[in-house]
Structures are given as C-alpha cells and as structure tokens.
Amino acid sequence: MPRRVTIDDVARLAEVHKATVSRALNAQTRDQVNAETLKRVKRAARQLGYVPNAMARGLRTSKSMTIGVIIPDLMNPIFPPIIRGIEHVLQAQGYTVLIANTDSHDEVEVSAFESLLQRRVDGFILATGRLDDQPVVEEAATADVPVVLVNRDSGVGRYPLVSGDNARGIELAVTHLVELGHPRIIHVAGPPNFSTTRTRAEAFEAAATRAGVEHDTIYATALSTDAGFEAAEKLLSDNGVAPSALVAGNDLVALGLIRRLRVQGLRCPDEVSVVGFNDMPFAGDFWPPLTTVRMPLREIGAEAARLLLRGIEAGEQEAATLTLPVSLVVRGSTGPFRS
Amino acid sequence: MPRRVTIDDVARLAEVHKATVSRALNAQTRDQVNAETLKRVKRAARQLGYVPNAMARGLRTSKSMTIGVIIPDLMNPIFPPIIRGIEHVLQAQGYTVLIANTDSHDEVEVSAFESLLQRRVDGFILATGRLDDQPVVEEAATADVPVVLVNRDSGVGRYPLVSGDNARGIELAVTHLVELGHPRIIHVAGPPNFSTTRTRAEAFEAAATRAGVEHDTIYATALSTDAGFEAAEKLLSDNGVAPSALVAGNDLVALGLIRRLRVQGLRCPDEVSVVGFNDMPFAGDFWPPLTTVRMPLREIGAEAARLLLRGIEAGEQEAATLTLPVSLVVRGSTGPFRS
DNA sequence: TTGTAGGCGTTATCAT
DNA sequence: ATGATAACGCCTACAA
C-alpha cells in the first residue's frame, strides 16, 4: 500500500505552504485565499487524489463530526426507519453515523458505548433506554457527552427524549375495540422495565376503566414474536374465558399472539381481535393485516438528531421531552365482537 | 465541557512517564511493565475516567480499527441480518462498524464512500454492487483500500464477493414448481444491472428449458414491493393467459406480485403460485406465508467480514468468490397447478 | 523495566 | 494573502 497523500504533498505540488492548502480546502476559510492559488491547490489535490485525514483533523479540532447510535436490536423492523431519519438529518450536516447493535445484551451495550467514546463521537443517540439500572446512561453523564434518548426513556439521568405519544396510541386502540363491541380487553404489555411499557400499561388501565370495559394486563418477557407467542400460551392456559380483544405491546408481540391463536384454531379477527403498536414496515402485509398504532418512526429519528445537534452546538442540553402524534391504522386484525 | 483526560494526566497521577502508561494500557505491550506500576497506572486511569483517544492512536498507528459498510437500502429486511453477521465477526476483533445507507442513491453512495475514506476506514464491505458504471468501486481501486463485495457483484474491478448460490436457488424454485405441475412459469426478475438478476435470469432460462416447461422472463424496475406490484400490473395487462406460476426476483417483489394479484381477485396459491428469494425475516408471517429460497444472510455477512479481515492482514486481496449454499423453504405461496 | 524524543496529518495563531 | 510554528494525544524505536 503506497503511503497516503498528505496535505504536504499537495502543498509541494501547488507550490504553496500547507497552511494555505488547509485554508483552501475548508469551506470556512476558503475566502481567505486568492482565487488563483485556490485553483492551483484544488487542481493539485485532485491530481494527487488527496483525501483529508479525518483523524488528524479531529485530533486538532477535537471534533469528530461523528455521532454514535446504539440500537438494542437491528432486527426489529422499527429501527431501520428510525435510523434513516437520524441519518438523513445528520448526513446533511456533514456528520457520519456510527451504528452499534447490542442484541439487547447489556455488556455489549457497555462495550459499544466505550468504543464509541474512544472514537470521540460528538454525541449519542440511545434507543436502549431502560427504567432499571442502566450503566451506559450513567457513564454518559460522567463522560459529560451529549445524549438524546429515542423511543424509550431511561430511569436515570435527565436526557432529552423523543418518542411517539404512547398514551394516546393506547387510548385510540382501546376506543376502537370498545366501539367494535368487545366487552373484555387484555393488554399484552412488554417488559416492565421499559418506559414505553409503563406508559402504555397505565394508559390502558385508564382508558379501559373510563370506557367501563372489563380488562386486564399481562406482561410479555420481551418485545418479540416469540415472547408474544409465549404470552398467548399463558393466556390460553390460565384463562377459562378466552378474551375477544387483545392490545399488544408492539407489532412483533401482536404477530406472536396471532400465530399462537391460530395454532389453537382461534381465528383473528373472527374470534379474537388484535391491535399492534408501531406500524412497523410490512405490518400491512401480514395475515391478517395488522391494525396498529402508527408511530412516526422516521420523524422520531429525525427529531432526535436535530435535538442532539442543537445540544452539541449549544454546549448544553435542555432535558426536553418531544412527543410526536400517533394515529390508529385500522386494517384486518380487528373486527366486531361476536359472542 | 471539562477538558478530556489524556494519557499525560494519568501518567502524572501514577507518577510514571506517559510511555509507561501507554504500554500498561495496551494488551500488546502490557507484559513489558512491572506488575506494581501496572496496578498503579490502572488505578490512576480508572480514577480519572481516562478514555483513550482513538483518533490520536489511529493517527499514530495509521489504523483506524474501523470498517465501512455501505448498504443500498436499510429498509430491505435482508440487510439487518447481513449487518449482524458482519458486526459479530468484526466486533470480536476490536473493529467498529460504520454503516452508511444510500437509499440506492448514487451520489449518496459516492459521498458516503468519501466520508468513510476520510475517516481512514481499514476496509469496506459494499452491498451496492452494480454491473454498470459504478464510480465507488473504481475509486476504491485507485484509493487502494481493501474491499469485499457482498451479495451483489460489481462489473468493474476484481474484488472478493460473498453471496448465496443464486443459480442453485432458482433451480430449486423451478423444480419445485414443475413438480407441482405448472406448465408455464414466469420469472419476474430484478433490474438487469444487478449481478444477482443476471445470474438468476440465466439460471431460470436454463432450468426451465431443461425441464421442458413453457417460460418467460420480465424485469421489474427495482427489488421492491412497489416494483413487484407494477410488474404484476404489466403481466396482467400484457398477457392474455394469466400465468399460474411466478418466480420473483426477491421476497419484496414476491410480496408486491401477490398484492397486485389479490387486487385482481387472483388467489395465491390457489390460482397463482409465487416463489420468493432470500427468505427475509418475516417471510413466513405474510399472507400467504412465502415459499422462498433461503439465503444464509447472517453467514454471508460474517464471511464477508472474515474475508476482509484476511485481506487487511495479508496486505493484499485474493479475488476469491465465496458462494454459500441455499435451500428452498416451502410454505404457503405455492401449490399444485389447477387448470 | 522505564524514560526520552520524534512524528503521525491537521488546523489555529501568530507573524510577515 | 500567505508562511512559519506549535499543538492536538498517542505510540514506538532507542537509550538508559
């Protein structure tokens, strides 16, 4: 591998000092340099195939123009749209996004964070919020690095959070099921250590009570199809009376529920109605097409990025919570109650 | 923001020279330092919350321990598993993965590549291969940076490629449909500038001819549900005789085809059988569950990462092509021919 | 086993 | 408008 071209090489060819090259090649300082020389420098740079070294620059400027994004599970289809929103905003500002996927593994989360910190990312977007002990958020606080939480809140620290309106979403779901005549609704929530779970479960309790409908909440062990499948299992074995309407913790859980119900010979929506949450990609292609609460995933990512950028520029962060509006998408997994 | 802790700060507190700190903190050179001092250094580092600066290190070592991954479309569900495979291998070796998503936009691809090059990534994994003009691959060649292609081959340059056995996959699909008695099979291929499209289309031609079945190939404008939908549209309007069996360019196209057929009142698999390609996540949850060719996506990513690492270590790359075995997953979207 | 010194490629601050 | 110089934080011969 031939040694990389440096700013000195360009300077030599253009017959100017490297400081001039630096000025010529940076938009900020470009106007400080003579039009003639600018042209010469540019030509030399192109001719040599000069590529500025971001590490050297970052070392000097103590900015990496890099943002770390930590995701609990890339395989969950809600994250690609969120990431896209993040990237869209950040790329436009010249930032590069470093994505780390933890597979919901705590120790991976810590090491990913550490690794990103070593790279001196200018800020973090964390989608891994948990209400219980979360070392990374604490570390972020001591490291004094800008952080924005996305989707899920964290129990510790006070960081900005961008999410959809979980409470409103549940309310819409419950109202929809009540209007369909369902006398009894079960909420199959996610793990209790997610803020989303808590908010949704509370909203469910409130909405169902207000509607005067019989209701109950059970907790899945994760926000996955498998966990949904298991939850349905428990539901079917525990309960004498099979419920006619289910509000799932998210779309994956909904999918798992439906799968298990089908095994039991229970048709959705004929015998059981199921509402999902998130409106993840392809939610409309499943069988049956999922009725679900639409989260503006892309926008959530974009807003998180904007909030982070603002925090970085300001040098300090306001602990604002940004809640974006949601809506109910009625498709095929819900139908009228039939006794 | 308080100034970051440097190796000098640690050295001062531990009362040693910074060179000793450096040695103590690097696994490679740790054994060169006295056990006592090692302990002191470690304690000092922890006490100060020292985080090594990867940019400074990279500048010095001219290695970034960073790999750039360029993906055409993160929203395509085949990529998360591939990325996971890549990350799994790379993280274990201390590398950080920089993911750039181009949304199939050429100019974004170039700028992402440029940006990654500036960061002095130690190598690239490109999932954006195209047979026609592809500036990035050429740039990679002139920049003399290690590259591994994943899934799709490129027309220019000679880089290692890791993919599934496309030809064999199509063969399995055709055989399956022929065994079901279908007398006429249409291949709805992807865009012709993808190597996968070409390989699959050729294999289709060969397999169908060999089986002595009537057949034809049409090309979708993209590998997406929308493009599949449109292709079905064309198929239905052009053709007097509706085909009874379709081999799609990938699962997304298959989904689009099925969607459009349903609009037409054509039931899958009762009236039309459809085979997908890739076995992307959730392929089994659609309606009907997709019969498709299973690509070992995770393994493809992992092998690409291994190949790249080998190339980086060796300082040169063998232009090997690694083709991983595929299989047919028979689910609900294919059924016997009914005249 | 530890210290010394130089340099990786840039940019910022001077001085010219 | 341009040049000279130092410094960002780290690693690695080499010397002690």
Side-chain angles (χ1 to χ4, degrees):
Chain A
M1 225 171 320
R3 198 180 54 74
R4 280 235 156 267
V5 177
T6 77
I7 203 172
D8 270 309
D9 301 322
V10 179
R12 210 167 304 125
L13 181 59
E15 298 182 299
V16 290
H17 193 268
K18 62 175 174 174
T20 304
V21 176
S22 172
R23 281 187 283 257
L25 263 29
N26 279 315
Q28 290 274 357
T29 47
R30 203 194 298 294
D31 50 355
Q32 295 174 27
V33 34
N34 185 295
E36 268 318 300
T37 26
L38 176 58
K39 210 176 292 179
R40 269 219 319 291
V41 170
K42 273 183 162 170
R43 192 152 41 79
R46 193 161 354 99
Q47 191 175 328
L48 295 174
Y50 170 66
V51 178
N53 185 325
M55 292 190 294
R57 172 181 297 166
L59 184 57
R60 181 61 234 244
T61 60
S62 57
K63 287 211 63 189
S64 66
M65 293 304 284
T66 263
I67 300 292
V69 178
I70 304 188
I71 300 287
D73 178 14
L74 239 200
M75 304 283 287
N76 182 336
I78 70 163
F79 289 113
I82 291 178
I83 291 172
R84 239 176 129 202
I86 293 173
E87 274 189 330
H88 183 73
V89 170
L90 256 26
Q91 273 179 0
Q93 305 298 323
Y95 283 85
T96 295
V97 179
L98 314 194
I99 300 170
N101 176 33
T102 70
D103 283 329
S104 303
H105 208 314
D106 275 28
E107 99 189 39
V108 178
E109 186 181 338
V110 171
S111 77
F113 181 79
E114 211 78 30
S115 158
L116 261 16
L117 213 51
Q118 292 192 7
R119 305 218 131 84
R120 294 295 187 268
V121 295
D122 297 323
F124 282 93
I125 295 178
L126 302 180
T128 51
R130 268 168 283 120
L131 291 176
D132 50 356
D133 184 52
Q134 190 171 19
V136 161
V137 174
E138 290 166 29
E139 268 200 75
T142 67
D144 196 31
V145 57
V147 169
V148 169
L149 267 20
V150 80
N151 196 27
R152 297 191 206 144
D153 203 356
S154 162
V156 300
R158 272 266 42 83
Y159 285 117
L161 165 70
V162 181
S163 73
D165 192 338
N166 290 299
R168 177 73 182 137
I170 288 293
E171 205 178 299
L172 290 168
V174 169
T175 305
H176 172 62
L177 291 171
V178 168
E179 281 173 354
L180 287 170
H182 292 278
R184 180 172 148 74
I185 307 176
I186 307 287
H187 179 30
V188 182
N193 61 337
F194 293 164
S195 69
T196 46
T197 296
R198 203 212 293 222
T199 309
R200 291 173 195 172
E202 282 171 1
F204 176 75
E205 180 65 32
T209 303
R210 202 173 328 120
V213 70
E214 203 182 325
H215 62 277
D216 199 3
T217 299
I218 69 169
Y219 293 84
T221 57
L223 286 173
S224 66
T225 41
D226 287 350
F229 193 91
E230 288 165 20
E233 193 111 326
K234 197 166 56 175
L235 215 54
L236 292 169
S237 67
D238 282 12
N239 238 309
V241 195
S244 74
L246 266 28
V247 175
N250 75 355
D251 291 337
L252 294 175
V253 169
L255 223 52
L257 291 171
I258 293 170
R259 231 189 249 169
R260 183 62 185 82
L261 291 172
R262 194 176 302 140
V263 171
Q264 198 76 5
L266 288 169
R267 288 270 158 205
C268 171
D270 303 331
E271 283 147 293
V272 184
S273 285
V274 178
V275 181
F277 212 104
N278 284 340
D279 194 24
M280 69 182 208
F282 305 107
D285 292 294
F286 296 122
W287 182 248
L290 236 46
T291 293
T292 185
V293 175
R294 175 162 232 309
M295 297 274 268
L297 299 170
R298 231 196 117 131
E299 259 315 300
I300 288 176
E303 285 299 343
R306 290 195 195 103
L307 219 52
L308 183 61
L309 248 31
R310 221 172 301 148
I312 290 172
E313 279 171 25
E316 60 171 339
Q317 302 194 267
E318 354 145 23
T321 291
L322 193 53
T323 305
L324 302 185
V326 300
S327 56
L328 185 75
V329 183
V330 178
R331 287 195 276 243
S333 66
T334 49
F337 173 66
R338 309 182 191 172
S339 53
Chain B
M1 227 169 321
R3 198 180 54 73
R4 279 235 158 266
V5 176
T6 78
I7 204 173
D8 270 309
D9 300 322
V10 178
R12 210 167 304 125
L13 181 59
E15 297 182 299
V16 291
H17 192 269
K18 61 175 176 174
T20 305
V21 176
S22 172
R23 282 188 280 256
L25 264 28
N26 281 315
Q28 291 273 358
T29 48
R30 203 195 298 295
D31 49 355
Q32 296 174 25
V33 36
N34 185 296
E36 270 315 299
T37 24
L38 176 57
K39 209 175 293 178
R40 269 219 318 290
V41 169
K42 273 183 163 170
R43 193 151 41 80
R46 193 161 355 101
Q47 190 174 329
L48 295 174
Y50 171 65
V51 178
N53 185 324
M55 294 189 293
R57 172 182 297 164
L59 184 56
R60 177 61 232 247
T61 59
S62 57
K63 288 210 64 192
S64 67
M65 293 304 284
T66 264
I67 300 293
V69 177
I70 304 188
I71 301 286
D73 177 15
L74 239 200
M75 304 282 288
N76 183 333
I78 71 164
F79 289 113
I82 291 178
I83 291 172
R84 238 176 130 202
I86 293 173
E87 274 190 330
H88 183 75
V89 170
L90 256 27
Q91 272 178 1
Q93 306 298 323
Y95 283 85
T96 295
V97 179
L98 313 195
I99 301 170
N101 177 35
T102 70
D103 282 330
S104 302
H105 208 314
D106 275 28
E107 100 189 37
V108 177
E109 185 179 339
V110 172
S111 76
F113 181 78
E114 211 77 29
S115 157
L116 260 15
L117 212 51
Q118 292 192 5
R119 303 217 133 87
R120 294 297 188 269
V121 295
D122 298 323
F124 282 92
I125 295 178
L126 302 180
T128 51
R130 265 168 286 120
L131 291 177
D132 50 358
D133 183 51
Q134 191 171 19
V136 160
V137 173
E138 290 167 28
E139 268 200 75
T142 67
D144 195 32
V145 57
V147 169
V148 169
L149 267 20
V150 81
N151 195 29
R152 295 191 209 144
D153 203 355
S154 163
V156 300
R158 272 263 45 82
Y159 285 117
L161 165 70
V162 180
S163 73
D165 192 337
N166 290 298
R168 176 72 183 137
I170 288 292
E171 205 178 299
L172 289 168
V174 169
T175 305
H176 172 61
L177 291 171
V178 168
E179 281 173 356
L180 288 169
H182 293 278
R184 177 170 151 75
I185 307 177
I186 307 287
H187 179 30
V188 182
N193 62 337
F194 293 163
S195 70
T196 46
T197 296
R198 202 213 293 224
T199 309
R200 291 173 196 172
E202 283 171 1
F204 176 77
E205 180 65 32
T209 305
R210 202 173 329 122
V213 70
E214 202 182 326
H215 61 278
D216 198 4
T217 299
I218 69 169
Y219 293 84
T221 56
L223 286 173
S224 64
T225 42
D226 287 350
F229 193 91
E230 288 165 20
E233 193 112 323
K234 195 166 57 175
L235 214 54
L236 292 170
S237 66
D238 282 12
N239 238 307
V241 195
S244 75
L246 266 28
V247 174
N250 75 355
D251 292 335
L252 295 175
V253 170
L255 223 51
L257 291 171
I258 292 171
R259 234 189 247 169
R260 182 64 185 82
L261 291 172
R262 194 176 302 141
V263 171
Q264 198 76 4
L266 287 169
R267 288 270 157 204
C268 170
D270 302 330
E271 282 148 292
V272 185
S273 285
V274 178
V275 181
F277 211 105
N278 284 340
D279 193 24
M280 70 181 205
F282 305 104
D285 291 294
F286 296 121
W287 182 246
L290 237 47
T291 293
T292 184
V293 176
R294 173 163 234 307
M295 297 273 269
L297 300 170
R298 233 197 113 131
E299 257 318 299
I300 287 176
E303 285 301 343
R306 289 195 195 102
L307 219 53
L308 182 60
L309 249 29
R310 221 173 301 146
I312 290 172
E313 279 170 25
E316 61 171 342
Q317 302 194 266
E318 353 144 27
T321 290
L322 193 54
T323 305
L324 303 185
V326 301
S327 56
L328 184 74
V329 183
V330 177
R331 286 195 276 245
S333 66
T334 50
F337 172 67
R338 307 181 192 174
S339 52

